[in-house]
Amino acid sequence: MRKILTIPLVIFISLFSHCINAPRSNKYDPKNPDKAEVQGYVYEPDSLTITGAIINLLNYNNNIVQAETSDADGCFSFTRIDPGIYKITAQTKYFANIIIENESLWAGKKLTNYRIFFNTFHFEDDEINSVPYGFITVSGDWRISEDSNGNHIYTGTDTDNTNPAITFFRNRTHAFKFSFKFMVSPVSGQNWETGILLWYQDSLNFYSIKITKTSVQYRLMKNGSLTVFYTKIRETTEGVFHTLKAVQAGDALPIYLDDIYLFPVSLINTAFENGYWGLYVFSHEAGTSVKVDFDDIYLKIPQ
């Protein structure tokens, strides 16, 4: 006679119960009662906190599961988050929206001091003919303009053949990363220049990246004496947007124009400890007004 194998009922119930509850201890299980949390702050490029920024937590279906507004200290928090992979978005006035993809928030994960930096200036929130948020006009005519598509841009115009038109970001700093788009107006003549000022002290002491119709230079002006470190022959066409950017690599800022490498800018062998970051426009032709449109200005200043 064949013997029938039996399992004691108590063992069967124990195994069944264990199988049911096992996934709840899995950090990837959405039903895990140990929820994730995110607490952090939102900042401007120079680490000033932002009040009133809207921060959203979205699930894999791009549905908003939690929404927060940063408080007077720039703080926000998400609590009781089911385990999963999320997207975090943030928006505020004067800056381009932030999207952070594929943030893994598994059971029990607690992210504190989570930092969101708004780095790219968005001029759509500034009024036409106003000075944009975060910048200071030093000379020349700088104002928000409207392009042919109705988008707001930052326009600098120089009508003085002796001094350039200059605008600065509000704070002095040492280390930074930057990028911006610029377009020189076709009515600016042949002998124009534009670019960026780095570690600016005064009109006799500064670094600059000078862009002309035919070349790009990295230069130092110290006590009124000019030193040219690099010159690259590079055609810059009027009437179209070009992009100048720095991609930080250790103690250097490799500079690119339209994604073509130009030269490095050192962060350690500078003549000045800190200074202003700014844009400039200059005409070398009497009676000719140089106009340059700037957009998507990215500036990141490390803490």
Side-chain angles (χ1 to χ4, degrees), residues 280-301:
Y280 81 95
V281 177
F282 190 34
S283 172
H284 295 278
E285 296 182 38
T288 300
S289 176
V290 175
K291 185 179 81 168
V292 183
D293 295 334
F294 297 91
D295 205 1
D296 295 342
I297 298 176
Y298 168 95
L299 180 61
K300 175 66 180 293
I301 301 172

Side-chain angles (χ1 to χ4, degrees), residues 89-102:
T89 66
Q91 62 186 73
T92 191
K93 290 183 67 175
Y94 310 122
F95 295 95
N97 295 346
I98 301 293
I99 300 176
I100 302 171
E101 303 271 7
N102 300 322

Side-chain angles (χ1 to χ4, degrees), residues 168-212:
F168 286 124
F169 182 64
R170 63 185 170 221
N171 294 336
R172 297 171 68 95
T173 186
H174 172 69
F176 42 75
K177 294 189 289 184
F178 66 85
S179 70
F180 58 88
K181 296 195 305 184
F182 68 96
M183 179 172 63
V184 181
S185 171
V187 299
S188 298
Q190 298 297 311
N191 200 4
W192 53 262
E193 70 175 83
T194 188
I196 183 171
L197 301 173
L198 310 172
W199 301 297
Y200 187 95
Q201 313 295 305
D202 52 47
S203 61
L204 299 179
N205 295 278
F206 58 87
Y207 286 84
S208 66
I209 297 175
K210 171 186 173 182
I211 304 169
T212 70

Side-chain angles (χ1 to χ4, degrees), residues 51-65:
T51 301
I54 298 172
I55 304 94
N56 295 320
L57 182 70
L58 295 83
N59 62 16
Y60 63 93
N61 288 323
N62 281 328
N63 295 321
I64 296 175
V65 295

Side-chain angles (χ1 to χ4, degrees), residues 42-75:
V42 289
Y43 299 93
E44 296 194 11
D46 51 352
S47 299
L48 290 178
T49 57
I50 299 175
T51 301
I54 298 172
I55 304 94
N56 295 320
L57 182 70
L58 295 83
N59 62 16
Y60 63 93
N61 288 323
N62 281 328
N63 295 321
I64 296 175
V65 295
Q66 292 191 46
E68 275 285 307
T69 300
S70 60
D71 64 17
D73 296 318
C75 182

Side-chain angles (χ1 to χ4, degrees), residues 23-44:
R24 300 298 171 86
S25 63
N26 187 331
K27 69 178 183 178
Y28 306 113
D29 179 15
K31 301 296 185 180
N32 192 313
D34 191 9
K35 305 301 184 183
E37 296 179 2
V38 177
Q39 183 274 329
Y41 298 86
V42 289
Y43 299 93
E44 296 194 11

